[in-house]
Amino acid sequence: MSTLSRDEVARVAGLARIDLTPDELDRLAGELDVIVESVARVSEIATPDVPATSHPLPLTNVFRADVPEPPVDRDAVLAAAPAARDGKFLVPQILGEDA
Amino acid sequence: MSDDLTRISAAALADRLQAGEVSSVEATRAHLDRIAAVEPAVHAFLHVSDEDALATAADVDARRAAGETLHPLAGVPIAVKDVVVTRGVPTTAGSKILEGWVPPYDATLVERIKAAGLPILGKTNMDEFAMGSSTEHSAYGNTHNPWDLERIPGGSGGGSAAAVGAYEAPLAIGTDTGGSIRQPAAVTGTVGVKPTYGSVSRYGLIALASSLDQAGPVTRTVLDSALLHELIGGHDPRDSTSIAEPLPDLVGAARLGANGDLSGVRVGVITELQGEGYQAGVLARFHESLGLLERAGAEIVEVSCPHFTYALAAYYLILPAEASSNLAKFDGMRFGLRVEPSEGPVTAERVMAATRGQGFGDEVKRRIILGTYALSAGYYDAYYGSAQKVRTLIQRDFSAAFAQADVLVSPTAPTTAFKLGEKLDDPLAMYLNDVATIPANLAGVPGLSLPAGLSDDGLPVGFQVLAPAKADDRLYRVGAALEALLENEWGGPLLAQAPELEVAR
């Protein structure tokens, strides 16, 4: 089946939002190529007549009672955040300059 | 009976606590002393909670002295894998990206442990986000196998298995996504159980693969696992996949099994989980155990699960796909590490990429990228879609096999513990360690590993028992029976044959 090129790994790492060094890209491209080739054999037995299963046990949707519960303590959550101000998470600018 | 409180089972310790022969403070201190003595060599813990553990122990002792009725395990210390969130206690999942994170809430299973009065000794080492089979992917250093410090303790829950195996704790919590409780149990000569999917709440577990993850007990005896499973298991409204039914009588099943009679029990040997790739000594111990089961009255039948040979491939598509989604929350915004890019504009997107580039280790990057690839446009049907179909075929294999047998058995892992570093540069070779444990996760069925003796290399071998979904009691009955028969042959537990660790004084 397909081979996973260095460029393809770089593209997918971008989608996954992971910065990789050039060395990491070289190594991952080689390793992932071998792994993908190995796992691709699932298609040998995945014929159209076989239904897909996403979950181990049959599930039905469940609802909890519509009763208010105390939320997790806000200050404890913010204390564990990288940055906070005025009772809120402090984050970098969301949009790039050209947006 | 041993006077060393760290050498006895949790059940025996619980009896002595209830009888007032020892206090929980004494038992907890004995384990903290043991931790201090062997941790320099074993490194099973990422965090030790001395003060909290002793405070809980003192509270239990006071309540017991006041005549309060307590949970049977009240006062018995326990270790918790670091993938389980603990309020006020650092939780890292073995990752740099969560270094120093202090969760603002408890997992449901931790709430239950605390409500029952078990002192929590600390958090145990693991492969980063539970991705691995050797604990070598922890960002905080290797855990060493108590049988041979140069060897791996299994993974991802190597810390919990080593802690129990090195007598640092009588009980521990593990999580098992593809074998992370059972495989470490096998290579450390301890007992580990992956319950039926939904038997134990996943609320407060840092998710790896949500359709596969399951928390369970890590102990030295089958009865101790049953006691702990009953404590942490059962319905939880906070986990929508939690089974809304009472647990089977697990402790009763373990006590029944311990009488060693398995008359009328049909034991199915899985053809595909033996033979090529399995160490000779592993197979020898496996077949000896089968002989014991047969002599105890069990009927041994051979069953074929032809699609199990595709389980590993399906797993390494489904797990990375789910993990790539679950780990998207590590974006440097709300918890854990935040790294700003060294040049260019500091936008949220670039901060996220820089944070993940620095915060994640090699194996985590490998699997997230593999999962993202398998889910990406143009590849979804061929990879993820096909893997989900294989999952159906594996579930059908289990259904057919359980029509012929009450439990299924196999070696837990194909080999004994290998040397640290031996497979670190070969991800595929590392993945093969879980070849016998993965099918249970794909089908949601429960599995147990118990020690079956030593291989030719003098290292422990694990024996795996699998049961149908929601029939976890069968694991405990058959497991306790085999344990009793084997210990009768050995003249005591297998762990008694482990070399004494050099202790720091």
Side-chain angles (χ1 to χ4, degrees):
Chain A
M1 216 157 156
S2 93
T3 50
L4 202 51
S5 67
R6 192 177 185 279
D7 286 351
E8 183 72 347
V9 172
R11 185 186 75 86
V12 176
L15 291 174
R17 306 280 186 268
I18 300 177
D19 281 350
L20 296 176
T21 64
D23 282 355
E24 281 181 313
L25 262 180
D26 289 340
R27 202 175 64 242
L28 272 169
E31 290 165 351
L32 286 170
D33 193 40
V34 174
I35 296 170
V36 167
E37 194 183 312
S38 169
V39 297
R41 61 192 293 267
V42 291
S43 59
E44 291 169 15
I45 55 169
T47 48
D49 56 309
V50 180
T53 297
S54 62
H55 210 267
L57 300 176
L59 285 177
T60 49
N61 200 8
V62 288
F63 297 91
R64 74 169 172 89
D66 189 15
V67 178
E69 279 186 35
V72 175
D73 180 65
R74 188 187 69 178
D75 292 341
V77 171
L78 292 177
R85 187 190 293 165
D86 303 332
K88 303 179 185 76
F89 293 115
L90 184 63
V91 301
Q93 69 177 78
I94 302 296
L95 301 174
E97 280 171 11
D98 54 347
Chain B
M1 180 174 284
S2 171
D3 278 338
D4 184 345
L5 296 175
T6 64
R7 299 286 164 138
I8 60 178
S9 70
L13 180 57
D15 287 346
R16 291 173 73 171
L17 287 166
Q18 284 170 49
E21 293 168 23
V22 295
S23 71
S24 177
V25 167
E26 287 174 286
T28 302
R29 202 178 289 284
H31 285 95
L32 290 170
D33 288 349
R34 176 71 180 170
I35 289 170
V38 302
E39 268 302 279
V42 179
H43 189 45
F45 284 86
L46 294 179
H47 180 87
V48 178
S49 307
D50 313 52
E51 287 180 17
D52 286 352
L54 287 168
T56 302
D59 179 56
V60 165
D61 287 340
R63 284 159 58 197
R64 183 166 274 135
E68 214 177 298
T69 304
L70 302 173
H71 187 277
L73 289 174
V76 178
I78 187 168
V80 177
K81 188 178 180 182
D82 205 32
V83 76
V84 182
V85 304
T86 42
R87 182 181 191 142
V89 177
T91 300
T92 68
S95 182
K96 283 283 178 210
I97 213 165
L98 276 179
E99 188 164 20
W101 182 59
V102 180
Y105 70 108
D106 276 326
T108 294
L109 73 86
V110 171
E111 279 184 351
R112 290 182 183 182
I113 287 169
K114 287 183 174 175
L118 282 75
I120 297 177
L121 295 166
K123 306 297 291 291
T124 56
N125 198 11
M126 54 182 286
D127 285 296
E128 184 176 4
F129 291 111
M131 298 187 196
S133 307
S134 67
T135 313
E136 292 169 293
H137 294 303
S138 168
Y140 303 99
N142 294 336
T143 295
H144 301 261
N145 191 320
W147 287 80
D148 177 349
L149 297 171
E150 300 295 308
R151 291 178 188 271
I152 59 113
S156 66
S160 284
V164 165
Y167 304 104
E168 297 175 84
L171 300 171
I173 295 294
T175 61
D176 190 313
T177 305
S180 290
I181 288 175
R182 291 163 287 159
Q183 182 259 2
V187 299
T188 57
T190 58
V191 176
V193 178
K194 182 203 93 73
T196 296
Y197 182 85
S199 178
V200 176
S201 171
R202 290 186 297 110
Y203 181 77
L205 270 51
I206 298 173
L208 170 54
S210 304
S211 79
L212 304 165
D213 296 345
Q214 183 60 197
V218 175
T219 64
R220 290 191 294 266
T221 74
V222 173
L223 176 61
D224 284 357
S225 274
L227 288 162
L228 183 53
H229 187 166
E230 285 197 1
L231 168 61
I232 61 174
H235 183 240
D236 176 17
R238 289 188 154 145
D239 174 0
S240 63
T241 61
S242 168
I243 297 170
E245 295 170 25
L247 295 171
D249 180 5
L250 308 175
V251 172
R255 293 198 197 281
L256 172 69
N259 71 23
D261 180 16
L262 290 175
S263 301
V265 177
R266 296 171 302 163
V267 173
V269 180
I270 303 170
T271 311
E272 287 75 12
L273 297 185
Q274 50 184 323
E276 197 188 337
Y278 288 78
Q279 224 174 57
V282 168
L283 289 174
R285 296 301 88 75
F286 175 67
H287 287 111
E288 284 163 18
S289 291
L290 286 180
L292 288 175
L293 293 174
E294 193 162 27
R295 287 214 291 283
E299 181 194 343
I300 311 288
V301 295
E302 181 95 9
V303 297
S304 177
C305 295
H307 301 102
F308 278 21
T309 49
Y310 291 86
L312 195 70
Y315 178 83
Y316 277 101
L317 286 163
I318 291 168
L319 179 137
E322 292 190 19
S324 71
S325 305
N326 276 327
L327 271 62
K329 62 176 163 283
F330 297 101
D331 56 6
M333 302 300 146
R334 291 155 297 162
F335 31 69
L337 186 72
R338 176 182 292 178
V339 177
E340 296 192 351
S342 49
E343 53 191 32
V346 181
T347 62
E349 188 177 315
R350 299 191 71 238
V351 167
M352 180 173 176
T355 299
R356 290 155 68 85
Q358 260 190 43
F360 287 147
D362 285 348
E363 182 64 16
V364 174
K365 288 175 182 170
R366 217 154 27 224
R367 293 202 200 179
I368 290 178
I369 291 169
L370 178 60
T372 306
Y373 175 72
L375 290 175
S376 63
Y379 300 108
Y380 182 96
D381 287 342
Y383 294 123
Y384 189 65
S386 295
Q388 288 191 312
K389 291 183 173 197
V390 173
R391 196 166 184 174
T392 305
L393 295 170
I394 285 164
Q395 293 186 354
R396 287 178 182 169
D397 280 359
F398 269 116
S399 298
F402 284 125
Q404 300 169 64
D406 301 307
V407 294
L408 303 176
V409 297
S410 77
T412 310
T415 68
T416 54
F418 46 90
K419 289 253 169 76
L420 287 161
E422 196 179 314
K423 300 189 182 178
L424 209 46
D425 296 329
D426 187 350
L428 268 185
M430 188 74 92
Y431 297 170
L432 276 171
N433 290 297
D434 296 328
V435 70
T437 46
I438 278 170
N441 299 81
L442 290 172
V445 305
L448 169 150
S449 178
L450 78 160
L454 303 179
S455 183
D456 310 329
D457 53 13
L459 293 166
V461 171
F463 185 94
Q464 179 176 238
V465 186
L466 302 167
K470 303 185 199 178
D472 304 48
D473 50 331
R474 294 186 197 173
L475 304 179
Y476 291 105
R477 182 176 173 201
V478 174
L482 181 57
E483 179 183 59
L485 297 164
L486 284 165
E487 292 192 357
N488 187 43
E489 303 240 312
W490 301 328
L494 189 70
L495 265 181
Q497 298 178 39
E500 281 296 324
L501 291 167
E502 296 273 339
V503 295
R505 293 280 178 199

